[in-house]
Amino acid sequence: MNKIGSQILNIVSDTNDKFNIFSKEDKAVFAISGGKDSLSLLTLLQSHFKEIKCLHVRISPTSDISFIEFASNFHKIDIVESDILTEARNSKKNPCFICSRRRNQKIFEYAQSQGIKKVVFAHNREDVIETLLMNMLYSRKISTMMPKQVLFAGKIEVLRPFYEVPEILLYNYSKDIPSISKSCEFDGNTKRQYIKDLVNQIAQEHPKINIKDNIYNSILALDKDFIPKL
């Protein structure tokens, strides 16, 4: 393991101590999108669980799965075929919302079919920040991803070990990892990408301020005395 990998694991350990996300006795399904974050999750954390299953939900019959050969060096990857991309494209709703919801549905169904209730995603600190801002701007609420989230009356638990890991660390760690090619026409033209670009622009314009840390830490420092109560 390289130095950056060790740095990521140190952050994961600190985050786990803080939020009690997972333990070595856990059985879990790893959601493997094929992107660099999820493949980093596989290479760094697959030995930190008692037992894991790995699942890739293919969003269309033609989407790239060339990463499977690399990923299979670490663990067998099960593949669920779908045509979610066509469904999202034809929907009147936000296509990214439809795609995410349908992929998660298939991941949760797979987990239940395996008798496993813990599902591990590779969302990083920037994902948390962007979700907060997206919900404020587009959904009129203050909320974001949770490091550990219980769903469906306890039937599913979503775990996010990379919750406090900066995206740049995962990018640098995974430079030699062959991730999936972009197979969605909406990639790079989404609300999330707009928010990501906006945050990066603000950070570049204010180099003496750690903008991303400030936004993230604001989640943990909600001043209820200055939040109206209805």
Side-chain angles (χ1 to χ4, degrees), residues 6 8 18 22 27 34 42 44 73 155 172 214:
S6 296
I8 291 170
K18 187 186 302 182
F22 66 93
K27 299 179 181 180
L42 176 62
L44 288 170
N73 291 321
K155 293 181 180 179
N172 288 333
N214 284 356

Side-chain angles (χ1 to χ4, degrees), residues 81-99:
E81 299 286 349
S82 79
D83 200 7
I84 292 173
L85 182 57
T86 297
E87 180 182 346
R89 185 189 297 124
N90 294 335
S91 173
K92 294 180 180 179
K93 296 182 179 180
N94 181 350
C96 298
F97 171 79
I98 296 298
C99 184

Side-chain angles (χ1 to χ4, degrees), residues 11-154:
I11 296 173
V12 168
S13 179
D14 290 343
T15 305
N16 200 35
D17 288 343
K18 187 186 302 182
F19 295 114
N20 191 29
I21 301 172
F22 66 93
S23 79
K24 287 202 171 185
E25 297 305 311
D26 285 340
K27 299 179 181 180
V29 171
F30 277 31
I32 306 298
S33 69
K36 288 181 178 291
D37 288 358
S38 69
L39 293 176
S40 296
L41 177 76
L42 176 62
T43 62
L44 288 170
L45 289 180
Q46 52 96 15
S47 63
H48 289 243
F49 289 75
K50 181 178 181 179
E51 178 184 335
I52 70 167
K53 300 281 187 179
C54 294
L55 179 70
H56 172 70
V57 177
R58 201 173 184 188
I59 64 172
S60 80
T62 59
S63 62
D64 179 21
I65 54 172
S66 59
F67 71 93
I68 292 292
E69 182 178 356
F70 169 82
S72 296
N73 291 321
F74 297 88
H75 201 279
K76 177 180 180 293
I77 311 294
D78 291 333
I79 299 175
V80 169
E81 299 286 349
S82 79
D83 200 7
I84 292 173
L85 182 57
T86 297
E87 180 182 346
R89 185 189 297 124
N90 294 335
S91 173
K92 294 180 180 179
K93 296 182 179 180
N94 181 350
C96 298
F97 171 79
I98 296 298
C99 184
S100 176
R101 185 177 67 177
R102 293 287 287 119
R103 282 194 296 176
N104 287 350
Q105 179 184 359
K106 290 186 176 296
I107 292 167
F108 297 155
E109 289 173 351
Y110 171 86
Q112 289 187 307
S113 75
Q114 300 296 311
I116 298 173
K117 71 176 186 176
K118 297 180 186 290
V119 176
V120 185
F121 288 104
H123 297 125
N124 59 54
R125 185 191 62 165
E126 274 72 2
D127 292 319
V128 177
I129 292 169
E130 291 155 14
T131 300
L132 170 69
L133 297 177
M134 286 177 65
N135 286 340
M136 292 175 67
L137 293 174
Y138 301 118
S139 300
R140 296 175 293 177
K141 61 183 179 181
I142 299 176
S143 66
T144 190
M145 299 172 173
M146 297 284 285
K148 183 175 183 177
Q149 193 164 12
V150 178
L151 302 175
F152 311 117

